[in-house]
Amino acid sequence: MGIGRRDVLRVVSTSGLIAAGLAASKELLQPTFAQNKPVLNQIRKGEMLYRTLGRTGEQISVIGLGGHHIGRPKDEQEGIRLVRTAIDRGINFMDNCWDYHNGGSEVRMGKALQGGYRDKAFLMTKIDGRTKESATKQIDESLRRLQTDRIDLLQHHEIIRMEDPDRVFAEGGAMEAVIAAQKAGKIRYIGFTGHKDPLVHLRMLDLAAQNNFRFDAVQMPLNVMDAHFRSFERQVLPVLVKNQIGVLGMKSMGDQNILKSKTVKPIECLHYAMNLPTSTVITGIESMEILEQAFEAVRTFTPMSQKMVIDLLNRTRSAAVKGEYELFKTTSQFDSTAKNPEWLG
């Protein structure tokens, strides 16, 4: 990797991350991580709960507004209204991505964050580029669309192949562009996302350690079915918590697919993910009704007892064991970079 020691901004104090994750996976018959660890320290302000993002000290809302979904309403003004209403009521974590709706989600969010809203938001977006050149271009395009001079958290998107970490950390790879952007003040924190297999996440963390780098945040699927199949909760979550890396939960309902199993209700899905040591649970909100559902989940949330967690996992086990409701793991349906390999550079 073409990053000098003086450019390293975060040093990992641990090694053997893959081994640690695999060791955690051997405890499949033990109670899930959610039952053994308390919910992160949190504070309530108004309608929202806030938790700390890893070691950054940033206070972010326990619910994050999913960027893909704000691009779904046909009326742009409806997407803008969703963003502003969410912020007005306390959701400050804004998720987005360079490729969502061919940039349309970033454009909408950029418009929504005008008029003082940018200063109230913790803004995250993602890039697909694996080369320094493509990543640099995408970072600048995202800044332009979002109408801002800084991104609070920039993440490498769709780390879903075993070779993705190698490309990111290679000489002339995307990490060089991201660190350069951070040094220039364009971004504040660095993370990565993925949804395919926990082993890919562990390899990304391990390769980061080899390069004397520690991520500020990691995004991954955390839901009531994940614990039973290729589990990020069991294999990756303990590693992140141990190293005080911010945990961004996503796909709590699997883009509604988990609800199709008829084993669990939406608020139960949100409560389960919130009960884990997540900094935020990013959820798709494309209507005011779903926004109200998210606030209801926050209003009614209390740490779940061990019995409640076990009962919920028992209820979802038979539907979950083959991954048929976690299509992001078992199919290419959610793999936007597989459909558009040119985005990788």
Side-chain angles (χ1 to χ4, degrees):
M1 176 182 172
I3 300 176
R5 286 187 176 273
R6 293 182 182 178
D7 289 334
V8 174
L9 302 175
R10 257 161 240 91
V11 178
V12 183
S13 59
T14 176
S15 60
L17 296 175
I18 290 180
L22 291 174
S25 72
K26 293 179 181 178
E27 299 176 0
L28 291 177
L29 298 180
Q30 300 300 316
T32 186
F33 193 74
Q35 302 160 31
N36 295 321
K37 297 290 182 180
V39 175
L40 291 180
N41 290 334
Q42 58 188 14
I43 58 173
R44 185 179 291 273
K45 295 180 183 177
E47 295 184 79
M48 186 50 55
L49 290 167
Y50 298 87
R51 297 177 179 174
T52 305
L53 179 65
R55 291 189 179 185
T56 69
E58 301 287 344
Q59 294 294 308
I60 60 175
S61 51
V62 71
I63 292 292
L65 185 75
H68 192 277
H69 286 249
I70 67 162
R72 292 184 178 183
K74 292 182 179 180
D75 181 4
E76 180 182 71
Q77 290 304 311
E78 179 65 10
I80 292 172
R81 188 165 73 99
L82 283 168
V83 173
R84 291 186 169 178
T85 302
I87 293 175
D88 285 340
R89 295 179 62 181
I91 294 177
N92 68 358
F93 191 94
M94 300 287 114
D95 164 86
N96 221 304
C97 184
W98 172 83
D99 69 45
Y100 288 166
H101 300 282
N102 294 314
S105 284
E106 287 188 331
V107 169
R108 283 190 182 185
M109 187 163 285
K111 292 179 179 179
L113 293 180
Q114 300 308 297
Y117 281 90
R118 174 66 186 93
D119 293 334
K120 301 176 183 179
F122 185 91
L123 181 60
M124 180 270 277
T125 198
K126 319 175 195 80
I127 57 166
D128 297 315
R130 300 293 189 256
T131 66
K132 182 177 181 179
E133 181 181 6
S134 60
T136 299
K137 178 182 177 183
Q138 290 171 16
I139 290 169
D140 289 341
E141 287 176 345
S142 290
L143 286 165
R144 186 167 59 253
R145 293 168 182 163
L146 292 165
Q147 300 187 50
T148 186
D149 60 359
R150 73 192 188 284
I151 292 165
D152 294 305
L153 171 62
L154 184 81
Q155 301 202 96
H156 299 281
H157 187 221
E158 286 196 5
I159 303 300
I160 57 177
R161 311 160 189 85
M162 290 301 267
E163 67 271 17
D164 280 338
D166 299 277
R167 295 198 66 188
V168 168
F169 282 98
E171 184 174 355
M175 188 57 81
E176 292 185 6
V178 172
I179 288 181
Q182 187 181 55
K183 292 179 69 176
K186 295 179 179 181
I187 65 175
R188 298 174 64 206
Y189 304 111
I190 301 170
F192 75 90
T193 82
H195 56 253
K196 191 61 64 181
D197 194 298
L199 291 179
V200 181
H201 268 55
L202 291 171
R203 188 160 190 281
M204 186 71 161
L205 291 166
D206 197 51
L207 201 55
Q210 292 176 37
N211 283 277
N212 297 318
F213 184 84
R214 190 191 70 224
F215 286 102
D216 296 302
V218 172
Q219 184 170 332
M220 58 190 183
L222 291 170
N223 60 63
V224 295
M225 294 192 171
D226 169 78
H228 304 298
F229 180 80
R230 292 189 202 167
S231 180
F232 287 86
E233 176 186 331
R234 296 187 185 278
Q235 297 186 52
V236 183
L237 185 57
V239 177
L240 301 182
V241 172
K242 178 181 178 181
N243 291 285
Q244 294 182 278
I245 297 172
V247 179
L248 311 180
M250 66 172 169
K251 303 194 186 303
S252 61
M253 303 176 213
D255 200 20
Q256 306 300 311
N257 286 306
I258 290 173
L259 301 179
K260 294 175 183 177
S261 70
K262 307 294 185 183
T263 61
V264 67
K265 297 176 182 178
I267 288 183
E268 290 178 311
C269 291
L270 290 171
H271 281 176
Y272 182 87
M274 292 164 64
N275 195 62
L276 294 166
T278 42
S279 297
T280 190
V281 176
I282 300 165
T283 187
I285 297 173
E286 58 198 80
S287 68
M288 287 297 171
E289 180 183 6
I290 297 177
L291 181 63
E292 289 294 341
Q293 176 180 273
F295 277 100
E296 178 67 10
V298 175
R299 186 187 69 80
T300 57
F301 176 73
T302 56
M304 298 169 65
S305 68
Q306 180 172 327
K307 182 181 185 303
M308 291 171 65
V309 174
I310 291 174
D311 287 348
L312 190 53
L313 291 176
N314 284 339
R315 198 196 316 162
T316 58
R317 179 173 290 109
S318 61
V321 290
K322 295 182 180 179
E324 60 183 300
Y325 294 102
E326 290 189 280
L327 298 178
F328 45 87
K329 293 179 181 177
T330 59
T331 75
S332 62
Q333 180 178 332
F334 291 79
D335 303 349
S336 60
T337 54
K339 300 180 181 70
N340 300 276
E342 68 277 7
W343 292 348
L344 298 173

